[in-house]
Amino acid sequence: MQTSLDIQYIFELFPYLLKYLSVTMGMAIWGFVLALIFSVTIAIIRVFKITVLAQLCALFISFFRGTPLLVQLFLLYYGLPRFFPIFEGLDAFTAAVIGLSLHFSAYMAESIRAAIMGVDKSQMEACLSIGMTRSQAMRRIILPQASRVATPSLMNYFIDMIKSTSLAFTLGVTEIMAVSQMEAASSFKFFESFLAVAFIYWAVVVFFTRIQYLLERYLNRAY
């Protein structure tokens, strides 16, 4: 039984794992873009308290915040095709992207809603007084101010989404976590394989944490 750490194997594994980093980042980026669209829409609906839609959005948030992401991925990829034939051709990568976007949009919507509510009501009143519509005021005045407040939490969700892509291997997506598992199973060097993938996730998170810091400085430059 091997008890020593095989450092050389870890370094040999890095280039192979990095080939699949684009798959991981592709899921995270597409998932975040879709989640941002969903979450802004949901937040605006809830802020304006649009009848019926606001209640449906509250139900959506309750479900996706109240159930595990892994369960949601299984429901989407394995469950929905059974009842809705349109989902039968859904590939694993697309299912993972949709699942990630729906899950994180529920959290992001609340952060965006709180940021919008944090903008002084006098801002909206001033916009309406000079002839702007509510939608114009929201797009030109309110959302730009709210974005500065929401950016830190949204970036945190993006970083969390990157780590959550590791669950996509359960659907059959060949990303860095899946590759590390296959390598561990073939070499029996489980610790080294998972340590290598942990270092890659860590490096990616450190990089985007730095991006977050620079972005926050840019948005706060006027303050």
Side-chain angles (χ1 to χ4, degrees):
M1 179 178 178
Q2 183 181 0
T3 57
S4 60
L5 182 65
D6 192 342
I7 301 294
Q8 183 179 352
Y9 178 76
I10 294 175
F11 282 103
E12 290 175 352
L13 197 56
F14 277 139
Y16 185 60
L17 292 175
L18 289 172
K19 292 179 182 179
Y20 295 88
L21 182 59
S22 60
V23 180
T24 294
M25 293 309 303
M27 282 191 292
I29 292 170
W30 279 110
F32 184 76
V33 169
L34 289 176
L36 191 59
I37 295 171
F38 295 154
S39 59
V40 170
T41 304
I42 292 170
I44 291 174
I45 289 173
R46 297 200 72 197
V47 167
F48 287 137
K49 298 179 181 179
I50 301 174
T51 308
V52 180
L53 289 180
Q55 285 73 25
L56 290 176
C57 288
L59 181 63
F60 171 90
I61 290 172
S62 176
F63 176 80
F64 282 97
R65 291 181 66 174
T67 55
L69 173 57
L70 185 59
V71 173
Q72 295 164 16
L73 291 174
F74 282 178
L75 285 173
L76 183 65
Y77 188 60
Y78 297 112
L80 288 184
R82 179 181 173 186
F83 300 99
F84 302 97
I86 192 173
F87 290 101
E88 288 181 358
L90 192 66
D91 62 274
F93 181 89
T94 304
V97 169
I98 295 173
L100 288 167
S101 63
L102 292 175
H103 179 82
F104 282 93
S105 64
Y107 291 90
M108 291 164 60
E110 289 298 273
S111 294
I112 294 172
R113 184 176 71 90
I116 293 173
M117 298 295 288
V119 177
D120 199 296
K121 293 182 179 179
S122 62
Q123 301 279 335
M124 177 63 77
E125 294 170 357
C127 293
L128 297 176
S129 68
I130 61 173
M132 282 190 184
T133 63
R134 286 184 175 273
S135 60
Q136 288 175 330
M138 183 64 68
R139 186 176 65 255
R140 299 176 182 177
I141 306 298
I142 307 301
L143 285 179
Q145 294 183 67
S147 64
R148 182 181 67 86
V149 178
T151 293
S153 61
L154 294 181
M155 283 299 297
N156 286 335
Y157 287 131
F158 175 62
I159 290 171
D160 196 18
M161 187 180 292
I162 293 173
K163 293 181 289 184
S164 296
T165 58
S166 60
L167 294 176
F169 85 92
T170 60
L171 305 184
V173 180
T174 307
E175 40 74 63
I176 58 174
M177 186 63 190
V179 173
S180 69
Q181 284 205 321
M182 290 187 287
E183 287 298 310
S186 62
S187 65
F188 295 102
K189 296 181 179 180
F190 292 94
F191 185 78
E192 287 88 346
S193 297
F194 294 135
L195 187 61
V197 78
F199 280 134
I200 292 175
Y201 278 117
W202 186 17
V204 170
V205 168
V206 168
F207 172 77
F208 280 104
T209 300
R210 178 62 180 173
I211 296 296
Q212 176 183 349
Y213 170 73
L214 295 175
L215 183 59
E216 288 178 24
R217 281 189 60 184
Y218 175 77
L219 292 175
N220 290 322
R221 68 193 187 284
Y223 297 88

CSV table of all heavy atoms in Angstrom, one decimal, residues 124-182:
chain,number,residue,atom,x,y,z
A,124,MET,N,-36.3,57.5,-8.0
A,124,MET,CA,-37.4,57.2,-8.8
A,124,MET,C,-38.4,58.3,-9.0
A,124,MET,O,-38.9,58.7,-10.1
A,124,MET,CB,-38.1,55.9,-8.3
A,124,MET,CG,-39.4,55.5,-9.2
A,124,MET,SD,-39.0,55.1,-10.9
A,124,MET,CE,-38.3,53.4,-10.6
A,125,GLU,N,-38.7,59.0,-7.8
A,125,GLU,CA,-39.6,60.1,-7.9
A,125,GLU,C,-39.0,61.3,-8.7
A,125,GLU,O,-39.8,61.9,-9.5
A,125,GLU,CB,-39.8,60.6,-6.4
A,125,GLU,CG,-40.6,59.6,-5.6
A,125,GLU,CD,-40.6,60.0,-4.1
A,125,GLU,OE1,-39.9,61.0,-3.8
A,125,GLU,OE2,-41.2,59.3,-3.3
A,126,ALA,N,-37.7,61.5,-8.6
A,126,ALA,CA,-37.1,62.5,-9.5
A,126,ALA,C,-37.2,62.2,-10.9
A,126,ALA,O,-37.5,63.1,-11.8
A,126,ALA,CB,-35.6,62.7,-9.1
A,127,CYS,N,-37.0,60.9,-11.3
A,127,CYS,CA,-37.1,60.5,-12.7
A,127,CYS,C,-38.5,60.7,-13.2
A,127,CYS,O,-38.7,61.2,-14.3
A,127,CYS,CB,-36.7,59.0,-12.8
A,127,CYS,SG,-35.0,58.7,-12.5
A,128,LEU,N,-39.5,60.3,-12.4
A,128,LEU,CA,-40.9,60.4,-12.8
A,128,LEU,C,-41.3,61.9,-13.0
A,128,LEU,O,-42.1,62.3,-13.8
A,128,LEU,CB,-41.8,59.7,-11.8
A,128,LEU,CG,-41.6,58.2,-11.7
A,128,LEU,CD1,-42.6,57.7,-10.6
A,128,LEU,CD2,-41.9,57.5,-13.0
A,129,SER,N,-40.7,62.8,-12.1
A,129,SER,CA,-41.0,64.2,-12.2
A,129,SER,C,-40.6,64.9,-13.4
A,129,SER,O,-41.1,65.9,-13.8
A,129,SER,CB,-40.5,64.9,-10.9
A,129,SER,OG,-39.0,64.9,-11.0
A,130,ILE,N,-39.5,64.3,-14.1
A,130,ILE,CA,-39.0,65.0,-15.3
A,130,ILE,C,-39.5,64.2,-16.6
A,130,ILE,O,-39.0,64.5,-17.7
A,130,ILE,CB,-37.5,65.0,-15.3
A,130,ILE,CG1,-36.9,63.6,-15.3
A,130,ILE,CG2,-37.0,65.8,-14.2
A,130,ILE,CD1,-35.4,63.6,-15.5
A,131,GLY,N,-40.5,63.3,-16.4
A,131,GLY,CA,-41.2,62.7,-17.5
A,131,GLY,C,-40.7,61.4,-17.9
A,131,GLY,O,-41.2,60.8,-18.9
A,132,MET,N,-39.8,60.8,-17.2
A,132,MET,CA,-39.3,59.4,-17.5
A,132,MET,C,-40.4,58.4,-17.1
A,132,MET,O,-41.2,58.6,-16.2
A,132,MET,CB,-38.1,59.1,-16.7
A,132,MET,CG,-36.8,59.6,-17.3
A,132,MET,SD,-35.3,58.9,-16.4
A,132,MET,CE,-34.0,59.8,-17.2
A,133,THR,N,-40.5,57.3,-17.8
A,133,THR,CA,-41.3,56.2,-17.4
A,133,THR,C,-40.6,55.4,-16.4
A,133,THR,O,-39.4,55.6,-16.2
A,133,THR,CB,-41.7,55.3,-18.6
A,133,THR,OG1,-40.5,54.7,-19.1
A,133,THR,CG2,-42.3,56.1,-19.7
A,134,ARG,N,-41.3,54.5,-15.7
A,134,ARG,CA,-40.7,53.7,-14.7
A,134,ARG,C,-39.6,52.8,-15.3
A,134,ARG,O,-38.5,52.5,-14.7
A,134,ARG,CB,-41.7,52.8,-14.0
A,134,ARG,CG,-42.6,53.6,-13.0
A,134,ARG,CD,-43.5,52.7,-12.2
A,134,ARG,NE,-44.3,53.5,-11.2
A,134,ARG,CZ,-43.9,53.7,-10.0
A,134,ARG,NH1,-42.7,53.2,-9.6
A,134,ARG,NH2,-44.6,54.4,-9.2
A,135,SER,N,-39.9,52.2,-16.5
A,135,SER,CA,-38.9,51.4,-17.1
A,135,SER,C,-37.6,52.2,-17.5
A,135,SER,O,-36.5,51.7,-17.4
A,135,SER,CB,-39.5,50.7,-18.3
A,135,SER,OG,-39.9,51.7,-19.3
A,136,GLN,N,-37.8,53.4,-18.0
A,136,GLN,CA,-36.6,54.2,-18.3
A,136,GLN,C,-35.8,54.6,-17.1
A,136,GLN,O,-34.6,54.5,-17.1
A,136,GLN,CB,-37.1,55.5,-19.0
A,136,GLN,CG,-37.6,55.3,-20.4
A,136,GLN,CD,-38.2,56.6,-21.0
A,136,GLN,OE1,-38.7,57.4,-20.3
A,136,GLN,NE2,-38.1,56.7,-22.3
A,137,ALA,N,-36.5,54.9,-16.0
A,137,ALA,CA,-35.9,55.2,-14.8
A,137,ALA,C,-35.1,54.0,-14.2
A,137,ALA,O,-34.0,54.2,-13.7
A,137,ALA,CB,-36.9,55.7,-13.7
A,138,MET,N,-35.7,52.9,-14.3
A,138,MET,CA,-35.1,51.6,-13.8
A,138,MET,C,-33.8,51.3,-14.7
A,138,MET,O,-32.8,51.0,-14.1
A,138,MET,CB,-36.0,50.5,-13.9
A,138,MET,CG,-35.5,49.1,-13.4
A,138,MET,SD,-35.2,49.2,-11.6
A,138,MET,CE,-36.8,49.3,-11.0
A,139,ARG,N,-33.9,51.5,-16.0
A,139,ARG,CA,-32.8,51.1,-16.9
A,139,ARG,C,-31.7,52.2,-16.8
A,139,ARG,O,-30.5,51.8,-16.8
A,139,ARG,CB,-33.3,51.0,-18.3
A,139,ARG,CG,-32.3,50.5,-19.3
A,139,ARG,CD,-32.8,50.3,-20.7
A,139,ARG,NE,-33.3,51.6,-21.3
A,139,ARG,CZ,-34.5,52.0,-21.4
A,139,ARG,NH1,-35.5,51.2,-21.0
A,139,ARG,NH2,-34.9,53.1,-22.0
A,140,ARG,N,-32.0,53.5,-16.7
A,140,ARG,CA,-31.0,54.5,-16.8
A,140,ARG,C,-30.4,55.0,-15.5
A,140,ARG,O,-29.3,55.4,-15.4
A,140,ARG,CB,-31.6,55.7,-17.5
A,140,ARG,CG,-32.0,55.4,-19.0
A,140,ARG,CD,-32.6,56.7,-19.6
A,140,ARG,NE,-33.1,56.4,-20.9
A,140,ARG,CZ,-33.8,57.3,-21.7
A,140,ARG,NH1,-34.0,58.5,-21.2
A,140,ARG,NH2,-34.2,57.0,-22.9
A,141,ILE,N,-31.2,54.9,-14.4
A,141,ILE,CA,-30.8,55.5,-13.1
A,141,ILE,C,-30.7,54.4,-12.0
A,141,ILE,O,-29.7,54.4,-11.3
A,141,ILE,CB,-31.8,56.6,-12.7
A,141,ILE,CG1,-32.0,57.6,-13.8
A,141,ILE,CG2,-31.4,57.2,-11.4
A,141,ILE,CD1,-30.7,58.4,-14.2
A,142,ILE,N,-31.8,53.6,-11.8
A,142,ILE,CA,-31.8,52.8,-10.7
A,142,ILE,C,-30.9,51.6,-10.8
A,142,ILE,O,-30.0,51.3,-9.9
A,142,ILE,CB,-33.3,52.2,-10.4
A,142,ILE,CG1,-34.2,53.4,-10.3
A,142,ILE,CG2,-33.3,51.4,-9.2
A,142,ILE,CD1,-33.9,54.4,-9.2
A,143,LEU,N,-30.9,50.8,-11.9
A,143,LEU,CA,-30.1,49.6,-12.1
A,143,LEU,C,-28.6,50.0,-12.1
A,143,LEU,O,-27.8,49.2,-11.5
A,143,LEU,CB,-30.5,48.9,-13.4
A,143,LEU,CG,-31.8,48.1,-13.3
A,143,LEU,CD1,-32.1,47.4,-14.6
A,143,LEU,CD2,-31.7,47.0,-12.2
A,144,PRO,N,-28.1,51.1,-12.7
A,144,PRO,CA,-26.7,51.4,-12.7
A,144,PRO,C,-26.2,51.6,-11.2
A,144,PRO,O,-25.1,51.2,-10.9
A,144,PRO,CB,-26.6,52.7,-13.5
A,144,PRO,CG,-27.7,52.6,-14.5
A,144,PRO,CD,-28.8,51.9,-13.7
A,145,GLN,N,-27.1,52.2,-10.4
A,145,GLN,CA,-26.7,52.4,-9.0
A,145,GLN,C,-26.7,51.1,-8.2
A,145,GLN,O,-25.9,50.8,-7.4
A,145,GLN,CB,-27.6,53.4,-8.3
A,145,GLN,CG,-27.5,54.8,-8.9
A,145,GLN,CD,-28.3,55.8,-8.2
A,145,GLN,OE1,-28.1,56.1,-7.0
A,145,GLN,NE2,-29.3,56.3,-8.9
A,146,ALA,N,-27.8,50.3,-8.5
A,146,ALA,CA,-27.9,49.0,-7.8
A,146,ALA,C,-26.8,48.1,-8.2
A,146,ALA,O,-26.4,47.2,-7.3
A,146,ALA,CB,-29.3,48.4,-8.1
A,147,SER,N,-26.3,48.2,-9.4
A,147,SER,CA,-25.3,47.2,-9.9
A,147,SER,C,-24.0,47.3,-9.0
A,147,SER,O,-23.3,46.4,-8.8
A,147,SER,CB,-25.0,47.4,-11.3
A,147,SER,OG,-24.4,48.7,-11.5
A,148,ARG,N,-23.7,48.6,-8.6
A,148,ARG,CA,-22.5,48.8,-7.8
A,148,ARG,C,-22.6,48.0,-6.4
A,148,ARG,O,-21.7,47.4,-5.9
A,148,ARG,CB,-22.3,50.3,-7.5
A,148,ARG,CG,-21.0,50.6,-6.7
A,148,ARG,CD,-20.9,52.1,-6.5
A,148,ARG,NE,-21.9,52.6,-5.6
A,148,ARG,CZ,-21.9,52.6,-4.3
A,148,ARG,NH1,-20.8,52.1,-3.7
A,148,ARG,NH2,-22.9,53.1,-3.6
A,149,VAL,N,-23.8,48.0,-5.9
A,149,VAL,CA,-24.1,47.4,-4.6
A,149,VAL,C,-24.1,45.9,-4.7
A,149,VAL,O,-23.6,45.1,-3.9
A,149,VAL,CB,-25.4,47.9,-4.0
A,149,VAL,CG1,-25.7,47.2,-2.6
A,149,VAL,CG2,-25.3,49.4,-3.8
A,150,ALA,N,-24.7,45.4,-5.9
A,150,ALA,CA,-24.9,44.0,-6.1
A,150,ALA,C,-23.7,43.3,-6.6
A,150,ALA,O,-23.6,42.0,-6.4
A,150,ALA,CB,-26.1,43.8,-7.0
A,151,THR,N,-22.7,44.0,-7.1
A,151,THR,CA,-21.6,43.3,-7.8
A,151,THR,C,-20.8,42.4,-6.9
A,151,THR,O,-20.5,41.3,-7.3
A,151,THR,CB,-20.6,44.4,-8.3
A,151,THR,OG1,-21.3,45.1,-9.4
A,151,THR,CG2,-19.3,43.8,-8.8
A,152,PRO,N,-20.5,42.7,-5.6
A,152,PRO,CA,-19.7,41.8,-4.8
A,152,PRO,C,-20.4,40.5,-4.6
A,152,PRO,O,-19.8,39.4,-4.7
A,152,PRO,CB,-19.6,42.6,-3.4
A,152,PRO,CG,-19.6,44.0,-3.8
A,152,PRO,CD,-20.6,44.1,-4.9
A,153,SER,N,-21.7,40.5,-4.3
A,153,SER,CA,-22.5,39.3,-4.0
A,153,SER,C,-22.6,38.5,-5.3
A,153,SER,O,-22.5,37.2,-5.3
A,153,SER,CB,-23.8,39.6,-3.4
A,153,SER,OG,-24.6,40.3,-4.3
A,154,LEU,N,-22.8,39.2,-6.5
A,154,LEU,CA,-23.0,38.5,-7.8
A,154,LEU,C,-21.6,37.8,-8.1
A,154,LEU,O,-21.7,36.7,-8.7
A,154,LEU,CB,-23.4,39.4,-8.9
A,154,LEU,CG,-24.8,40.1,-8.7
A,154,LEU,CD1,-25.1,41.0,-9.9
A,154,LEU,CD2,-25.8,39.0,-8.6
A,155,MET,N,-20.5,38.4,-7.9
A,155,MET,CA,-19.2,37.8,-8.2
A,155,MET,C,-19.0,36.6,-7.3
A,155,MET,O,-18.4,35.6,-7.7
A,155,MET,CB,-18.1,38.8,-8.0
A,155,MET,CG,-18.0,39.8,-9.1
A,155,MET,SD,-17.6,39.0,-10.7
A,155,MET,CE,-16.0,38.3,-10.4
A,156,ASN,N,-19.5,36.7,-6.0
A,156,ASN,CA,-19.4,35.5,-5.1
A,156,ASN,C,-20.2,34.4,-5.6
A,156,ASN,O,-19.8,33.2,-5.5
A,156,ASN,CB,-19.8,35.9,-3.7
A,156,ASN,CG,-18.8,36.8,-3.0
A,156,ASN,OD1,-17.6,36.7,-3.3
A,156,ASN,ND2,-19.3,37.6,-2.0
A,157,TYR,N,-21.4,34.7,-6.2
A,157,TYR,CA,-22.2,33.6,-6.7
A,157,TYR,C,-21.5,33.0,-8.0
A,157,TYR,O,-21.6,31.8,-8.2
A,157,TYR,CB,-23.6,34.1,-7.1
A,157,TYR,CG,-24.5,34.4,-5.9
A,157,TYR,CD1,-25.2,35.6,-5.7
A,157,TYR,CD2,-24.6,33.4,-4.9
A,157,TYR,CE1,-25.9,35.8,-4.6
A,157,TYR,CE2,-25.4,33.6,-3.8
A,157,TYR,CZ,-26.1,34.8,-3.7
A,157,TYR,OH,-26.9,35.1,-2.6
A,158,PHE,N,-20.9,33.8,-8.8
A,158,PHE,CA,-20.2,33.3,-10.0
A,158,PHE,C,-19.0,32.4,-9.5
A,158,PHE,O,-18.9,31.3,-10.1
A,158,PHE,CB,-19.6,34.5,-10.8
A,158,PHE,CG,-18.8,34.0,-12.0
A,158,PHE,CD1,-19.3,33.2,-13.0
A,158,PHE,CD2,-17.4,34.3,-12.0
A,158,PHE,CE1,-18.6,32.8,-14.1
A,158,PHE,CE2,-16.6,33.9,-13.1
A,158,PHE,CZ,-17.2,33.1,-14.1
A,159,ILE,N,-18.3,32.7,-8.5
A,159,ILE,CA,-17.2,31.9,-8.0
A,159,ILE,C,-17.8,30.6,-7.4
A,159,ILE,O,-17.3,29.5,-7.7
A,159,ILE,CB,-16.4,32.6,-6.9
A,159,ILE,CG1,-15.6,33.8,-7.6
A,159,ILE,CG2,-15.5,31.7,-6.1
A,159,ILE,CD1,-14.9,34.7,-6.6
A,160,ASP,N,-18.9,30.7,-6.8
A,160,ASP,CA,-19.6,29.5,-6.2
A,160,ASP,C,-20.1,28.6,-7.4
A,160,ASP,O,-20.1,27.4,-7.3
A,160,ASP,CB,-20.7,29.9,-5.3
A,160,ASP,CG,-21.2,28.7,-4.5
A,160,ASP,OD1,-20.5,27.8,-4.3
A,160,ASP,OD2,-22.4,28.8,-3.9
A,161,MET,N,-20.5,29.2,-8.5
A,161,MET,CA,-21.0,28.5,-9.6
A,161,MET,C,-19.9,27.7,-10.3
A,161,MET,O,-20.1,26.6,-10.7
A,161,MET,CB,-21.6,29.4,-10.7
A,161,MET,CG,-22.3,28.7,-11.8
A,161,MET,SD,-23.1,29.8,-13.0
A,161,MET,CE,-24.4,30.5,-12.0
A,162,ILE,N,-18.7,28.3,-10.3
A,162,ILE,CA,-17.5,27.6,-10.9
A,162,ILE,C,-17.3,26.3,-10.1
A,162,ILE,O,-17.0,25.3,-10.7
A,162,ILE,CB,-16.3,28.5,-10.8
A,162,ILE,CG1,-16.4,29.7,-11.8
A,162,ILE,CG2,-15.0,27.7,-11.2
A,162,ILE,CD1,-15.3,30.7,-11.7
A,163,LYS,N,-17.3,26.4,-8.8
A,163,LYS,CA,-17.1,25.2,-8.0
A,163,LYS,C,-18.2,24.2,-8.1
A,163,LYS,O,-18.0,23.0,-8.1
A,163,LYS,CB,-16.9,25.6,-6.5
A,163,LYS,CG,-15.6,26.4,-6.3
A,163,LYS,CD,-15.5,26.8,-4.8
A,163,LYS,CE,-16.5,27.8,-4.4
A,163,LYS,NZ,-16.2,28.3,-3.0
A,164,SER,N,-19.5,24.7,-8.3
A,164,SER,CA,-20.6,23.8,-8.4
A,164,SER,C,-20.7,23.1,-9.8
A,164,SER,O,-21.4,22.1,-9.9
A,164,SER,CB,-21.9,24.7,-8.3
A,164,SER,OG,-22.0,25.2,-7.0
A,165,THR,N,-19.9,23.5,-10.8
A,165,THR,CA,-19.8,22.8,-12.0
A,165,THR,C,-19.3,21.4,-11.8
A,165,THR,O,-19.5,20.5,-12.7
A,165,THR,CB,-19.0,23.5,-13.1
A,165,THR,OG1,-17.6,23.7,-12.5
A,165,THR,CG2,-19.5,24.9,-13.4
A,166,SER,N,-18.6,21.2,-10.7
A,166,SER,CA,-18.1,19.8,-10.4
A,166,SER,C,-19.2,18.8,-10.3
A,166,SER,O,-18.9,17.6,-10.5
A,166,SER,CB,-17.3,19.8,-9.1
A,166,SER,OG,-18.1,20.2,-8.0
A,167,LEU,N,-20.4,19.2,-10.1
A,167,LEU,CA,-21.5,18.3,-10.0
A,167,LEU,C,-22.0,17.8,-11.4
A,167,LEU,O,-22.7,16.8,-11.5
A,167,LEU,CB,-22.7,18.9,-9.3
A,167,LEU,CG,-22.5,19.3,-7.8
A,167,LEU,CD1,-23.8,20.0,-7.2
A,167,LEU,CD2,-22.3,18.0,-7.0
A,168,ALA,N,-21.5,18.5,-12.4
A,168,ALA,CA,-22.0,18.1,-13.8
A,168,ALA,C,-21.5,16.8,-14.2
A,168,ALA,O,-22.0,16.2,-15.1
A,168,ALA,CB,-21.5,19.2,-14.8
A,169,PHE,N,-20.4,16.3,-13.5
A,169,PHE,CA,-19.9,14.9,-13.9
A,169,PHE,C,-21.0,13.9,-13.6
A,169,PHE,O,-21.0,12.8,-14.2
A,169,PHE,CB,-18.6,14.6,-13.1
A,169,PHE,CG,-18.8,14.0,-11.7
A,169,PHE,CD1,-18.9,12.7,-11.5
A,169,PHE,CD2,-19.0,14.9,-10.7
A,169,PHE,CE1,-19.1,12.2,-10.3
A,169,PHE,CE2,-19.2,14.4,-9.4
A,169,PHE,CZ,-19.2,13.0,-9.2
A,170,THR,N,-21.9,14.1,-12.7
A,170,THR,CA,-23.0,13.2,-12.4
A,170,THR,C,-24.0,13.0,-13.6
A,170,THR,O,-24.7,12.0,-13.7
A,170,THR,CB,-23.8,13.6,-11.2
A,170,THR,OG1,-24.4,14.9,-11.4
A,170,THR,CG2,-22.9,13.7,-9.9
A,171,LEU,N,-23.9,14.0,-14.5
A,171,LEU,CA,-24.8,13.9,-15.7
A,171,LEU,C,-24.0,13.4,-16.9
A,171,LEU,O,-24.6,13.2,-18.0
A,171,LEU,CB,-25.3,15.3,-16.1
A,171,LEU,CG,-26.1,16.1,-15.0
A,171,LEU,CD1,-26.7,17.4,-15.6
A,171,LEU,CD2,-27.2,15.2,-14.4
A,172,GLY,N,-22.7,13.2,-16.7
A,172,GLY,CA,-21.9,12.6,-17.8
A,172,GLY,C,-21.1,13.7,-18.5
A,172,GLY,O,-20.5,13.4,-19.5
A,173,VAL,N,-21.0,14.9,-18.0
A,173,VAL,CA,-20.2,15.9,-18.6
A,173,VAL,C,-18.7,15.7,-18.3
A,173,VAL,O,-18.4,15.5,-17.1
A,173,VAL,CB,-20.6,17.3,-18.1
A,173,VAL,CG1,-19.7,18.4,-18.8
A,173,VAL,CG2,-22.1,17.6,-18.4
A,174,THR,N,-17.9,15.7,-19.3
A,174,THR,CA,-16.5,15.4,-19.1
A,174,THR,C,-15.8,16.8,-18.9
A,174,THR,O,-15.3,17.4,-19.7
A,174,THR,CB,-15.8,14.8,-20.4
A,174,THR,OG1,-16.6,13.6,-20.7
A,174,THR,CG2,-14.4,14.4,-20.1
A,175,GLU,N,-15.8,17.2,-17.6
A,175,GLU,CA,-15.1,18.4,-17.2
A,175,GLU,C,-14.0,17.9,-16.2
A,175,GLU,O,-13.7,16.7,-16.0
A,175,GLU,CB,-16.0,19.4,-16.6
A,175,GLU,CG,-17.1,18.8,-15.7
A,175,GLU,CD,-16.6,18.4,-14.3
A,175,GLU,OE1,-16.1,19.2,-13.6
A,175,GLU,OE2,-16.7,17.2,-14.0
A,176,ILE,N,-13.3,18.9,-15.6
A,176,ILE,CA,-12.1,18.6,-14.8
A,176,ILE,C,-12.3,17.6,-13.7
A,176,ILE,O,-11.5,16.8,-13.3
A,176,ILE,CB,-11.3,19.8,-14.4
A,176,ILE,CG1,-12.2,20.7,-13.5
A,176,ILE,CG2,-10.8,20.6,-15.6
A,176,ILE,CD1,-11.4,21.9,-12.9
A,177,MET,N,-13.5,17.7,-13.0
A,177,MET,CA,-13.8,16.8,-11.9
A,177,MET,C,-14.0,15.4,-12.4
A,177,MET,O,-13.5,14.4,-11.8
A,177,MET,CB,-15.0,17.3,-11.2
A,177,MET,CG,-15.3,16.5,-9.9
A,177,MET,SD,-14.0,16.7,-8.7
A,177,MET,CE,-14.5,15.4,-7.5
A,178,ALA,N,-14.7,15.2,-13.5
A,178,ALA,CA,-14.9,13.9,-14.1
A,178,ALA,C,-13.6,13.3,-14.5
A,178,ALA,O,-13.3,12.1,-14.3
A,178,ALA,CB,-15.8,14.0,-15.3
A,179,VAL,N,-12.7,14.1,-15.2
A,179,VAL,CA,-11.4,13.6,-15.6
A,179,VAL,C,-10.6,13.1,-14.4
A,179,VAL,O,-9.9,12.1,-14.5
A,179,VAL,CB,-10.7,14.6,-16.5
A,179,VAL,CG1,-9.3,14.2,-16.8
A,179,VAL,CG2,-11.5,14.9,-17.7
A,180,SER,N,-10.6,13.9,-13.4
A,180,SER,CA,-9.8,13.6,-12.2
A,180,SER,C,-10.3,12.3,-11.6
A,180,SER,O,-9.5,11.5,-11.1
A,180,SER,CB,-9.8,14.7,-11.2
A,180,SER,OG,-11.1,14.8,-10.6
A,181,GLN,N,-11.6,12.1,-11.6
A,181,GLN,CA,-12.1,10.8,-11.1
A,181,GLN,C,-11.7,9.6,-11.9
A,181,GLN,O,-11.4,8.6,-11.4
A,181,GLN,CB,-13.6,10.9,-11.0
A,181,GLN,CG,-14.2,11.7,-9.8
A,181,GLN,CD,-15.6,11.3,-9.4
A,181,GLN,OE1,-16.4,11.0,-10.3
A,181,GLN,NE2,-15.8,11.4,-8.1
A,182,MET,N,-11.8,9.8,-13.2
A,182,MET,CA,-11.3,8.7,-14.1
A,182,MET,C,-9.9,8.4,-13.9
A,182,MET,O,-9.5,7.2,-13.9
A,182,MET,CB,-11.6,9.1,-15.6
A,182,MET,CG,-13.1,9.1,-15.9
A,182,MET,SD,-13.5,9.3,-17.7
A,182,MET,CE,-13.1,11.1,-17.9
